[in-house]
Amino acid sequence: MKIDHIAIAVDDLKEAVQTYSTLLQVDDIEYERVESEGVSVAILHLENGRIELMEPIGDSSPIKKFLEKKGPGLHHIALETEGIDSQVSRMTSCGIRFLGEVRPGSAGTRVTFIHPKSLHGVLAELCAHPK
Amino acid sequence: MKIDHIAIAVDDLKEAVQTYSTLLQVDDIEYERVESEGVSVAILHLENGRIELMEPIGDSSPIKKFLEKKGPGLHHIALETEGIDSQVSRMTSCGIRFLGEVRPGSAGTRVTFIHPKSLHGVLAELCAHPK
């Protein structure tokens, strides 16, 4: 299992991209609008993983609620795995709770989320990249 | 710059190690007691980075205060860089605030922390590994 990305909720995507890209000296940046998750995302590619900056889209965005409750900051981590369906089965049999089924994520990935109550307060995405 | 580790504050280190090592199928785990930072740490080595689980030591531990205020969860991210002193100078000239000087961290590293106010609510460690 690998660290795929670290996701950060921000109020102002443009400003956050400016800060992070300057600080981390990253110029490999992708932008994506993920309507299904209610976010507009900037993906900064580091040498061994990615930082995803997420700004909410619309009033029902879970990221909007997160920002209102906690302010900007670390939102979730994502772990890349092969055989995501069998991993979900294995983890479920260990008593882990998931937030929804495995579903399409950004850039052709398949994703699901582990409930923070199952992981000591951490929201973790499991993701599988297309082969 | 690389993602070095993701640090998670937990109430019970033993229990958290059990959960995370089972879920992530990791058996390469190191333990360290970092008195200067007031934490007892378990380091889980993934393929491309590490997850650090941190339990507070003593009543003045900043992690104890974090847990009391926010509960267990994501605490900070760490970014590995070469030439940490010149990076700190460069970032300072960009207006970034640091929490303390560059100082010895665990396992021979040199570390400092970027103030969350300078990084959209994210506490980020900069670290350099010994050569």
Side-chain angles (χ1 to χ4, degrees):
Chain A
M1 209 164 293
K2 291 167 68 176
I3 297 170
D4 187 77
H5 64 265
I6 296 163
I8 297 165
V10 301
D11 288 312
D12 184 323
L13 190 61
K14 194 174 167 187
E15 201 181 279
V17 167
Q18 176 67 30
T19 305
Y20 276 83
S21 63
T22 304
L23 273 193
L24 308 181
Q25 298 178 301
V26 172
D27 52 14
D28 183 357
I29 306 170
E30 285 174 87
Y31 292 88
E32 191 164 4
R33 202 176 158 89
V34 189
E35 298 282 353
S36 59
E37 306 285 344
V39 286
S40 181
V41 177
I43 302 164
L44 283 70
H45 290 267
L46 305 190
E47 279 179 50
N48 64 336
R50 299 176 287 135
I51 288 183
E52 291 197 4
L53 303 171
M54 306 183 298
E55 182 189 69
I57 302 172
D59 286 342
S60 62
S61 166
I63 298 306
K64 186 173 165 73
K65 290 177 187 121
F66 178 91
L67 288 168
E68 283 168 359
K69 194 172 166 191
K70 302 191 174 178
L74 292 169
H75 182 265
H76 71 266
I77 59 173
L79 301 164
E80 184 193 343
T81 182
E82 292 185 11
I84 188 166
D85 299 295
S86 60
Q87 284 286 6
V88 168
S89 299
R90 180 182 69 82
M91 292 179 183
T92 302
S93 73
C94 295
I96 295 298
R97 284 172 57 197
F98 285 88
L99 296 164
E101 303 289 312
V102 177
R103 56 194 181 271
S106 63
T109 54
R110 294 180 67 232
V111 307
T112 185
F113 287 83
I114 298 174
H115 196 293
K117 289 209 169 155
S118 290
L119 211 51
H120 299 261
V122 174
L123 177 61
E125 177 183 333
L126 275 190
C127 65
H129 288 274
K131 285 188 181 169
Chain B
M1 208 161 300
K2 291 166 68 176
I3 297 170
D4 188 77
H5 64 265
I6 296 162
I8 297 164
V10 300
D11 288 311
D12 184 322
L13 191 62
K14 194 175 168 188
E15 201 181 280
V17 167
Q18 176 67 30
T19 305
Y20 275 84
S21 63
T22 303
L23 274 192
L24 307 182
Q25 298 178 300
V26 172
D27 53 13
D28 182 359
I29 305 170
E30 287 174 85
Y31 292 88
E32 191 164 4
R33 204 176 155 88
V34 189
E35 299 281 354
S36 59
E37 307 284 344
V39 286
S40 182
V41 177
I43 302 164
L44 283 70
H45 290 266
L46 304 192
E47 279 179 50
N48 64 337
R50 300 177 286 135
I51 288 182
E52 290 197 5
L53 303 170
M54 309 184 295
E55 181 189 70
I57 303 171
D59 286 341
S60 62
S61 166
I63 299 304
K64 187 174 166 68
K65 290 178 187 122
F66 177 91
L67 288 168
E68 284 168 357
K69 193 172 166 191
K70 302 190 174 180
L74 292 169
H75 182 266
H76 71 267
I77 60 173
L79 301 164
E80 184 193 344
T81 183
E82 292 187 11
I84 189 168
D85 299 297
S86 60
Q87 284 287 7
V88 169
S89 299
R90 180 181 69 82
M91 291 179 184
T92 302
S93 74
C94 295
I96 295 297
R97 283 172 58 195
F98 284 88
L99 295 164
E101 304 288 314
V102 178
R103 55 195 184 271
S106 62
T109 54
R110 295 180 67 231
V111 306
T112 184
F113 286 83
I114 298 174
H115 195 293
K117 289 209 171 160
S118 290
L119 211 50
H120 298 262
V122 174
L123 177 62
E125 177 183 334
L126 275 191
C127 66
H129 286 275
K131 287 190 180 167

